[in-house]
Amino acid sequence: MCGRYTATTNIEELSEVIPGKFQYPLFTPSYNIAPSQKAPIVTFTDDEYHGELAKWGLVPHWMKNPKKPFINARSESIFEKPSFKYLYAKNRCVVLADGFYEWSMFGNTKRPVYFYLENHKPFAFAGYWERDREEKDLRTFVIMTTEAAEDVSNFHHRMPVMLNKQGVEAWLRGGRKEVLRPFAEPIKHHIVSRIVNSPANNTPDCVLPADGEGAGA
DNA sequence: CCAGACGTTGTT
DNA sequence: GTCTGG
DNA sequence: CCAGACGTTGTT
DNA sequence: GTCTGG
């Protein structure tokens, strides 16, 4: 699944994945974005792209007794399940990113693995947004998941839906469902330090390779 | 018709 | 064990 | 996703 | 909001 990710460069650089111009939101790069935190998303309405900071974790507006916010939605079922169906028409968004973490067992130890693209190229997650219950001006978002691509499958069987610039346009402008699939481009990875486990840690050390440490290969 | 449920992940 | 917070 | 807290009473 | 069950 996807429960932690990075957006480590400035917003202009991350926005290279958006196929049009828009106003950049104020954003501080992060090596450890966790659920409930605010991060940049992009929506598309009235033929314009719009960027803003939104909160990770979506509670559907119809829920009477809100429990845990949803941080992920299975892309395979979002068109059939009543829970998310209503969001497709007008609440699509993408989430700017340049890497994500998955935790995987190595022997008896669970360790974080960092996934990213060649040259640390920026990309986006496919998502849905909805207005926050209390703060009307704040949007919340959920990240779509899909089956793991080959480069990820040794570590985890699910991964976020990743989009390149072409995919962003197809999802936001076109609402094209066929972009919701495992990413087709090569994905790089390495084991990182457990300091990333705590959302309080947000330094470049989070994404550094930490090969030897602890349980061996 | 109304009432009630509606998710994801991983682990067992 | 279970919930909240980041 | 993981980390961290999780109760009560009375007294200051 | 939308679907299923009674």
Side-chain angles (χ1 to χ4, degrees):
Chain A
M1 94 187 274
C2 177
R4 220 67 84 72
Y5 69 95
T6 66
T8 68
T9 59
N10 60 50
I11 191 76
E12 287 84 358
E13 203 169 324
L14 290 169
S15 299
E16 284 168 16
V17 75
I18 305 301
K21 297 194 189 241
F22 67 98
Q23 287 247 307
Y24 301 128
L26 281 176
F27 170 66
T28 306
S30 175
Y31 295 88
N32 197 354
I33 299 173
S36 82
Q37 295 180 354
K38 290 178 185 177
I41 68 167
V42 179
T43 57
F44 182 80
T45 44
D46 298 327
D47 213 45
E48 281 182 353
Y49 292 95
H50 171 74
E52 69 184 57
L53 289 194
K55 188 178 172 184
W56 187 8
L58 181 154
V59 176
H61 65 88
W62 44 261
M63 267 203 170
K64 298 269 179 168
N65 303 308
K67 312 215 164 163
K68 270 191 246 172
F70 302 148
I71 64 172
N72 294 131
R74 284 181 73 90
S75 62
E76 295 94 331
S77 58
I78 52 172
F79 304 116
E80 286 116 50
K81 306 257 174 159
S83 336
F84 293 120
K85 200 173 183 180
Y86 68 101
L87 292 166
Y88 171 70
K90 297 184 179 230
N91 296 65
R92 300 188 304 279
C93 70
V94 300
V95 182
L96 300 181
D98 61 6
F100 63 92
Y101 302 98
E102 298 287 1
W103 277 258
S104 184
M105 292 303 293
F106 294 80
N108 294 321
T109 321
K110 196 181 218 180
R111 306 192 67 190
V113 183
Y114 185 53
F115 296 91
Y116 54 99
L117 299 181
E118 193 79 34
N119 300 320
H120 226 96
K121 212 166 41 165
F123 56 90
F125 299 124
Y128 280 154
W129 65 269
E130 180 152 331
R131 295 214 169 282
D132 187 71
R133 301 212 158 194
E134 284 91 34
E135 276 186 73
K136 293 290 172 55
D137 289 336
L138 179 66
R139 288 184 206 205
T140 65
F141 66 91
V142 66
I143 293 173
M144 312 276 177
T145 61
T146 186
E147 196 183 323
E150 200 185 340
D151 292 338
V152 177
S153 60
N154 284 339
F155 304 93
H156 218 74
H157 68 112
R158 304 289 297 169
M159 67 179 282
V161 173
M162 300 166 67
L163 305 170
N164 58 19
K165 187 185 275 192
Q166 190 184 342
V168 166
E169 174 155 43
W171 177 239
L172 281 187
R173 184 190 286 265
R176 300 255 309 276
K177 302 176 179 182
E178 59 272 26
V179 303
L180 304 179
R181 63 185 194 285
F183 201 55
E185 298 171 32
I187 299 169
K188 307 184 72 173
H189 72 269
H190 55 247
I191 296 173
V192 293
S193 162
R194 287 185 198 80
I195 64 166
V196 76
N197 285 17
S198 172
N201 295 325
N202 179 7
T203 66
D205 292 340
C206 289
V207 300
L208 291 183
D211 312 298
E213 171 194 337

